[in-house]
Amino acid sequence: MEPIQQAACYIRVSTEDQTEYSPEAQRRALEHYARQHGFAIAPEHVYLDAGISGRRAETRPAFMAMIAAAKAKPPPFSAILVHKFDRFARNREDSIVYKSLLRRQCGVQVISITEHLEDDRMGLILEAMLEAMAEYYSLNLAEEVRKGMVEKARRGELQTAPPFGYRVAGHALVPVPEEARVVRELYRRFLDGESLAALARWTQQLGARTHRGNFLDSRRVRYILTNPVYRGVLRWHPQGRGRGEALEVPGAHPPLVSQADFQAVGERLAAFARRTPKHARPWGDRKHWLAGLAKCAACGGGLVFVKPHYLRCGRYGKGKCPCSQHVPVEELERAVLDRLRADCAWAGAFAVLPAASEEQKTRQALARELAALERREQRLREAYLCGAEALPEYRRAKGALQDQQAALRQHLAALDQTAPGQAQARWDTVLATLEDPLADTQAKHRAAQSILADCRWDRASRTVCLTYRLKL
């Protein structure tokens, strides 16, 4: 009598309406096969992924747990039984990688109980064909589903969970009165000048929660302020959020805000993005107009406000800078204003380049494009030197790249021709704002940031070094 071998069962079903491939049906068939072929299946080695696609292995927790168990020394089972090979994977790459790992490193084979393959070269070819057919079926099904979803989106049909402020009734969005009032108030308060952080704190004080029971943080508030559903438009991303262009169509639901308010909010958010560096502290949390603007001379990190009235290097508190640059805010403010007043007499000889201008964004984009063209030219030259590119093709491609670079440099030169004589008025306005005791922290920070590209404090020499957003 042959010894009984230990086996594992892997069961996967991607949709609830697959009666033939239901978990119970697969398990019965696998247990029947095991009894006929001398396999024993321990209950802890029955792995089930229900309602999960087989396209990606890492999204299937039971599958990954089975692979981890097979890597034990010695492995607790010598075979993995599946109903069909497409239950194991619908992706050829995953199928090849994991079958090879199981076979070579673990000594575990994958057996399909309904697809009998011989262990020879012809069986290898047939297995590869079955894997290719499974992947084709999965890709084709995904494409057909995507086509249907695109068509539904174009007809203005709802395909996602209702956003905050709405519920679904009769396949359409219906406003939830309490949540709708919060949405309208968010738009009104934001247009009145409140920050995203302040709005998030306000919603938390109200006790407002998302449909999943979470509080509204600043990220969720921003999403509400940018979601066109609140102006009566349904948005859907065919390729997934953040990839490709979104499809927007008029919806049948009542809007919560007007088109004018939605557009005004978008413009204010765009202005924030232009003048606020990434990961910058929210406006409403800024304790002093120099906080975040002033930098440490030792490491370049931002100076942060610490109680009761000091600025200190933020990286020093994390052990990343050897110098704290500890300075009273009054002392640094006085030093910066004295330096600004002294330099103000020279302002007429310069032209200001506002940090928040569209022109500055255009200039930065052109500079990045020019750098990319220069890298392409370098790679083209390397391809020619190693013989991968013939001389005529190299000359033609190089000429085209250089023409593009010349056009970009000409465009940049045109942007650099700013109107003279505007610096003095701009400088006077900034100084007036900074010296105004009634101006708030936000206004002062914006004013200083419009002419200061950098502000470095050196505690050792008790000096401040200002870099202006100017050019000769």
Side-chain angles (χ1 to χ4, degrees), residues 20 27 121 176 213 243 257 265 293 333-334 366 426:
E20 180 185 357
R27 182 163 186 167
R121 290 176 292 180
V176 178
R243 294 183 296 172
V257 298
V265 164
L293 180 65
E333 180 178 347
R334 185 166 55 251
L366 290 174
R426 178 62 180 162

Side-chain angles (χ1 to χ4, degrees), residues 302-469:
L303 301 188
V304 298
F305 186 89
V306 293
K307 294 181 179 180
H309 56 278
Y310 291 93
L311 289 174
R312 189 184 69 183
C313 177
R315 291 170 60 85
Y316 175 81
K318 300 176 182 177
K320 298 180 179 179
C321 180
C323 184
S324 70
Q325 302 294 1
H326 205 258
V327 57
V329 291
E330 297 85 358
E331 180 180 345
L332 183 56
E333 180 178 347
R334 185 166 55 251
V336 171
L337 289 176
D338 289 344
R339 185 69 263 171
L340 283 172
R341 294 188 192 99
D343 293 339
C344 184
W346 299 89
F350 300 95
V352 178
L353 299 180
S357 67
E358 290 294 336
E359 178 184 327
Q360 185 72 7
K361 290 180 62 179
T362 302
R363 182 182 288 103
Q364 293 171 355
L366 290 174
R368 289 193 297 268
E369 189 175 351
L370 180 60
L373 289 174
E374 291 172 346
R375 290 193 297 269
R376 287 177 57 188
E377 184 180 356
Q378 178 62 27
R379 290 195 296 269
L380 180 65
R381 182 173 182 273
E382 292 172 355
Y384 167 68
L385 291 177
C386 70
E389 193 77 38
L391 181 59
E393 287 77 11
Y394 167 67
R395 286 177 174 172
R396 184 165 52 253
K398 179 182 178 182
L401 288 175
Q402 290 179 340
D403 289 343
Q404 295 178 50
Q405 292 176 40
L408 288 176
R409 292 190 179 98
Q410 185 177 2
H411 195 172
L412 281 169
L415 289 176
D416 288 337
Q417 301 300 320
T418 56
Q422 299 177 352
Q424 189 65 50
R426 178 62 180 162
W427 212 303
D428 291 341
T429 302
V430 170
L431 275 173
T433 302
L434 296 179
E435 294 173 339
D436 184 1
L438 299 179
D440 60 17
T441 301
Q442 177 179 343
K444 289 186 177 183
H445 185 89
R446 287 178 179 173
Q449 195 180 47
S450 69
I451 65 169
L452 288 178
D454 196 41
C455 172
R456 303 266 170 162
W457 167 252
D458 188 349
R459 183 184 180 187
S461 61
R462 314 299 292 182
T463 58
V464 63
C465 177
L466 304 182
T467 302
Y468 299 110
R469 299 183 188 275

